[in-house]
Every structure is written in structure tokens, then in C-alpha cells.
Amino acid sequence: MARYVVLIDQGEDGAYGVVFPDLPGCTAMGDTVEEALLNAADAATEWAAEIRKDGSVPTPRSAAEVIADPETKEATDAGAVLALVPLILDSGKPAKANLSIDSGLLDAIDEAAKRIGVTRSAYLAAAARNKILQDG
């Protein structure tokens, strides 16, 4: 899983904007930094899905390379901060996986999945995606 360096900038109205130096045109916003970063991860996934139709997704530069970029220096001098955002590329193909998990936890997962009307697999995939995005 690739991680991209992003620039986070606070706008005048208090909202935060996120720009991906390595994904041209990919941006996101949020009322908080956390929301902006979660929205950025979604935006990167959607951006990559579109780009993959006609080409390949650019490989992320290292943090050192992005920091050395004059455009990044200009943005950070103006108050932007750097963060990492993971890019989760969905393949559209399910894959089977054997997992060992405590039976009590599995019962709780099944109950929670049923309560919101999804399968165990969908529930676990969403939980894993959310955890990856939160941990950056």
C-alpha cells in the first residue's frame, strides 16, 4: 500500500484543505484536520480509480523528495503542514482469507454486521479500511 505525502492548509473559513503533490488535481477538504485526512484518503482512491482507466497511478515520492520540492517549501512557508495518506486501491476482485479470531469476538462481529445489514466480510473489510485510514 502506497502512502502519499500531502499538504494540509487551513482556509480562512476554518476548513482544512488537502493537496497531493504527487497526484495532480487530487484534493480534499474537511472541517477538522482528521476529517480532511479521511476525505483525502477517499479522494485519492477515487482519483486513482479514474487514472487507472487510462494509465497508471504515479509512484509516491519519498517524504524527503517532496520536502525538497520548491513548491512544497513555498506551501510550508505559507503555513501548510505535511502528513501521510494511505492509498487503498480496490481491485474489484474478492479474495478468500483464513483468519483465526476469538469466537466471542466473531459473535460480536456477526451481531454488529447483522444489525447494520451487511455481511461479515463487508463488515470486516470496512473495519480494516477505517483502521488503516485512522492509523495513516
Side-chain angles (χ1 to χ4, degrees):
M1 170 181 50
R3 293 186 187 325
Y4 287 83
V5 175
V6 297
L7 295 165
I8 306 169
D9 189 24
Q10 184 173 4
E12 291 179 22
D13 60 355
Y16 294 86
V18 179
V19 175
F20 288 79
D22 292 337
L23 304 179
C26 185
T27 62
M29 293 186 69
D31 290 334
T32 65
V33 171
E34 293 79 12
E35 180 182 348
L37 288 171
L38 287 174
N39 291 342
D42 289 341
T45 298
E46 292 173 14
W47 186 93
E50 284 299 312
I51 293 300
R52 287 171 70 187
K53 292 178 184 175
D54 298 321
S56 62
V57 177
T59 302
R61 293 179 288 168
S62 70
E65 290 172 309
V66 174
I67 290 168
D69 187 314
E71 289 182 19
T72 301
K73 178 156 179 31
E74 183 179 324
T76 55
D77 287 349
V81 295
L82 302 174
L84 288 174
V85 172
L87 173 59
I88 300 173
L89 293 174
D90 293 325
S91 69
K93 298 179 281 186
K96 290 189 178 220
N98 291 326
L99 303 172
S100 296
I101 192 167
D102 182 84
S103 63
L105 178 57
L106 188 59
D107 290 342
I109 290 167
D110 289 342
E111 183 180 309
K114 183 178 180 180
R115 188 173 52 251
I116 63 171
V118 299
T119 65
R120 175 193 291 166
S121 293
Y123 187 86
L124 288 172
R129 183 181 301 270
N130 288 338
K131 183 66 174 161
I132 289 167
L133 296 178
Q134 288 175 357
D135 292 346

